[in-house]
Amino acid sequence: MNPTLDLGVAVRADRTLLTVSGELDMDTAPHLTDAADAVDLHGQTLTLDLSDVTFIDSCGLNALLALRRRVGLAGGTLELFGLPEQGLRLLDLTETRPLFVLRTGL
């Protein structure tokens, strides 16, 4: 079975919302990067809605870290919303949780 990742983009007045569902892993992380490449990040807030993500591995985490860096270099902010428990444990194990803005509501 091939892991899948579904992505949706909604531009709002105060942020761009990128909705992610499925598995964020070695096979699918490049799709997240491609979707973010199509978004104007300059001075913007990019919110990733991860509430429907079922799994994140180290490649998925690397994609999130790289995206955080890109958004920051563009003068923007990356927010993570709805990160599942497995993703939070991954951030804790890798001591990267403090690097991210975890949003509690949309």
Side-chain angles (χ1 to χ4, degrees), residues 42-82:
H42 186 72
Q44 298 296 313
T45 296
L46 176 62
T47 302
L48 297 184
D49 179 353
L50 302 170
S51 56
D52 289 328
V53 169
T54 56
F55 176 76
I56 302 173
D57 72 1
S58 60
C59 292
L61 175 59
N62 262 342
L64 294 176
L65 289 166
L67 184 54
R68 175 191 168 272
R69 184 173 190 278
R70 281 188 48 230
V71 172
L73 288 173
T77 303
L78 175 67
E79 301 176 331
L80 306 182
F81 169 77

Side-chain angles (χ1 to χ4, degrees), residues 14-95:
D14 61 337
R15 74 189 66 253
T16 297
L17 177 65
L18 184 57
T19 304
V20 184
S21 61
E23 298 180 11
L24 188 53
D25 59 19
M26 179 175 71
D27 293 325
T28 62
H31 300 293
L32 174 63
T33 301
D34 291 344
D37 285 346
V39 175
D40 178 17
L41 300 175
H42 186 72
Q44 298 296 313
T45 296
L46 176 62
T47 302
L48 297 184
D49 179 353
L50 302 170
S51 56
D52 289 328
V53 169
T54 56
F55 176 76
I56 302 173
D57 72 1
S58 60
C59 292
L61 175 59
N62 262 342
L64 294 176
L65 289 166
L67 184 54
R68 175 191 168 272
R69 184 173 190 278
R70 281 188 48 230
V71 172
L73 288 173
T77 303
L78 175 67
E79 301 176 331
L80 306 182
F81 169 77
L83 191 63
E85 189 61 36
Q86 182 267 327
L88 291 171
R89 281 195 312 273
L90 180 61
L91 295 185
D92 289 339
L93 285 171
T94 57
E95 298 181 356

